Amino acid sequence: MTLAKCFKFSMTLLFVLIICSACQSNREVGPSGYISLDELKSLSEKGVSLNWGDFTKYSFEDIGSGLYIRKYKIEGGHQLLITGKSLESPPDKIYIVNQNGKKLDLTQDNLSDLYGSK
């Protein structure tokens, strides 16, 4: 193989690797696809003492840019969002976004309203 062909092949391979790495997802994979209602109720009982570590076992999508914003799927097709400036300090806000886009703080009262008497 000539030097020119080796160079073209190397550049093509490099280009493909760059494109593939740019297309990687920001999803972190955990053992569970969503947070169940029972787990969500248990988490809500912790109140203001919730921290990032309480959610490590769940899959999330990192949607933040400049801030940490993690989006978790929860039972019933809703989403849980956690935001903060640093993973070393407690989250600034933890809230549920229902299927209509309404934001609700993660409290036991809001869970009761969202899921009815489940």
Side-chain angles (χ1 to χ4, degrees), residues 61-97:
E61 182 179 358
D62 183 359
I63 60 172
S65 178
L67 288 175
Y68 290 95
I69 304 174
R70 292 183 173 178
K71 180 170 64 171
Y72 298 83
K73 292 180 182 179
I74 58 177
E75 185 177 333
H78 310 295
Q79 299 173 345
L80 179 72
L81 276 83
I82 305 174
T83 65
K85 296 176 189 91
S86 168
L87 296 177
E88 304 303 317
S89 57
D92 294 332
K93 186 139 176 97
I94 301 174
Y95 58 95
I96 298 168
V97 178

Side-chain angles (χ1 to χ4, degrees), residues 12 28 33 48 54 57 60 64 70 72 75-76 102 115 117:
T12 303
E28 298 289 332
V48 294
D54 294 318
K57 68 179 184 176
F60 67 90
R70 292 183 173 178
Y72 298 83
E75 185 177 333
K102 183 178 177 184
Y115 289 103
S117 60

Side-chain angles (χ1 to χ4, degrees), residues 9-113:
F9 178 74
S10 298
M11 292 307 294
T12 303
L13 185 58
L14 179 63
F15 180 72
V16 169
L17 288 173
I18 289 171
I19 295 299
C20 289
S21 67
C23 295
Q24 285 182 332
S25 172
N26 285 337
R27 291 180 188 267
E28 298 289 332
V29 179
S32 174
Y34 67 91
I35 301 173
S36 72
L37 177 57
D38 290 336
E39 292 170 309
L40 202 57
K41 283 181 181 178
S42 190
L43 289 166
S44 72
E45 290 171 0
K46 293 184 86 173
V48 294
S49 67
L50 277 171
N51 62 52
W52 297 99
D54 294 318
F55 298 91
T56 55
K57 68 179 184 176
Y58 306 110
S59 299
F60 67 90
E61 182 179 358
D62 183 359
I63 60 172
S65 178
L67 288 175
Y68 290 95
I69 304 174
R70 292 183 173 178
K71 180 170 64 171
Y72 298 83
K73 292 180 182 179
I74 58 177
E75 185 177 333
H78 310 295
Q79 299 173 345
L80 179 72
L81 276 83
I82 305 174
T83 65
K85 296 176 189 91
S86 168
L87 296 177
E88 304 303 317
S89 57
D92 294 332
K93 186 139 176 97
I94 301 174
Y95 58 95
I96 298 168
V97 178
N98 71 13
Q99 292 174 331
N100 297 326
K102 183 178 177 184
K103 296 179 181 178
L104 306 164
D105 288 331
L106 179 61
T107 64
Q108 291 180 341
D109 289 340
N110 284 339
L111 285 176
S112 295
D113 292 344

